[in-house]
């Protein structure tokens, strides 16, 4: 799926302690990511409206991208429920994409992971070009941190960074799924 010039796309992720939002339209793109702990449900609606107001856009989108985790049970469900609700009201499709794809930085082969406790991570190894995942060299999985680092073979490892809303949005537009499932840490 490609983003047509007139298409307004909203991306959101609540799987991590960060509330991550991004918006793209023919005139540009904007994103915000702020640490909110477990307050996603309380802050998500107002933060989403504020993002639209900040750029002077009406509160509607043609496409919604949602981070599907891995993440906390409640956090992942808050984002998914909100995205599905907006999608129904706006008549917009909701595409799911792994939250891990919002953790990529720069270009080339790289590993991204989130802490899964007790020495484990939930991670993936990707090939990134143009700021978007182009290939999955190791699919998302829960592994001991030492085993995951061995998979990297010296490639950069981005562990628990703040999600990048624009990376999430672009990944969703490039290869988001209509049939998606949530993943938990």
């Amino acid at each position: 799926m490609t983003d047509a010039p007139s298409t307004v796309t909203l991306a959101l992720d609540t799987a991590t302690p960060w509330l991550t939002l991004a918006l793209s339209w023919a005139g540009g793109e904007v994103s915000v990511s702020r640490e909110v702990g477990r307050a996603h449900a309380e802050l998500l609606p107002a933060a989403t409206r504020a993002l639209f107001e900040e750029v002077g856009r009406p509160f509607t989108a043609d496409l919604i991208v949602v981070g599907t985790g891995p993440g906390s049970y409640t956090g992942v469900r808050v984002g998914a429920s909100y995205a599905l609700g907006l999608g129904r009201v706006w008549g917009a499709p909701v595409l799911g994409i792994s939250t891990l794809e919002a953790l990529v930085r720069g270009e080339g082969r790289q590993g991204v992971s989130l802490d899964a406790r007790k020495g484990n991570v939930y991670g993936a190894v990707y090939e990134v070009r143009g700021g978007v995942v182009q290939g999955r060299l190791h699919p998302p999985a829960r592994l001991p941190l030492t085993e995951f680092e061995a998979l990297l073979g010296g490639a950069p490892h981005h562990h628990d960074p703040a999600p990048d809303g624009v990376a999430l949005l672009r990944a969703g537009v490039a290869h988001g799924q209509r049939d998606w499932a949530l993943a938990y840490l």
Side-chain angles (χ1 to χ4, degrees):
M1 174 172 265
T2 59
D3 198 12
S6 62
T7 300
V8 175
T9 303
L10 169 68
L12 63 98
D13 187 277
T14 58
T16 71
W18 297 82
L19 171 57
T20 300
L21 298 167
L23 189 63
S24 72
W25 65 100
E29 61 189 15
V30 64
S31 70
V32 63
S33 194
R34 66 180 179 149
E35 195 166 5
V36 299
R38 296 175 183 241
H40 298 96
E42 296 86 356
L43 301 173
L44 179 59
T48 305
R49 278 195 179 274
L51 190 65
F52 279 85
E53 289 171 6
E54 176 184 324
V55 298
R57 302 261 346 149
F59 189 59
T60 187
D62 304 299
L63 176 66
I64 301 168
V65 174
V66 64
T68 59
S72 75
Y73 181 82
T74 302
V76 171
R77 288 184 172 277
V78 164
S81 298
Y82 188 68
L84 290 169
L86 288 178
R88 180 164 282 232
V89 169
W90 293 342
V94 178
L95 303 179
I97 194 77
S98 173
T99 297
L100 294 174
E101 293 199 34
L103 307 181
V104 299
R105 302 290 189 265
E107 301 289 310
R109 184 174 192 262
Q110 56 190 274
V112 294
S113 67
L114 295 169
D115 184 24
R117 298 186 187 99
K118 298 184 181 180
N120 295 304
V121 295
Y122 202 109
V125 181
Y126 296 128
E127 181 64 38
V128 179
R129 287 190 304 277
V132 177
V133 171
Q134 298 297 319
R136 291 179 183 93
L137 305 175
H138 189 279
R142 183 183 175 130
L143 299 166
L145 176 59
T146 54
E147 192 176 320
F148 181 73
E149 288 176 337
L151 289 172
L152 296 175
H157 179 198
H158 309 291
H159 181 62
D160 279 332
D164 179 344
V166 171
L168 181 74
L169 187 143
R170 290 178 180 166
V173 168
H175 53 261
Q177 302 294 306
R178 287 185 184 265
D179 295 323
W180 43 269
L182 301 177
Y184 308 103
L185 287 173

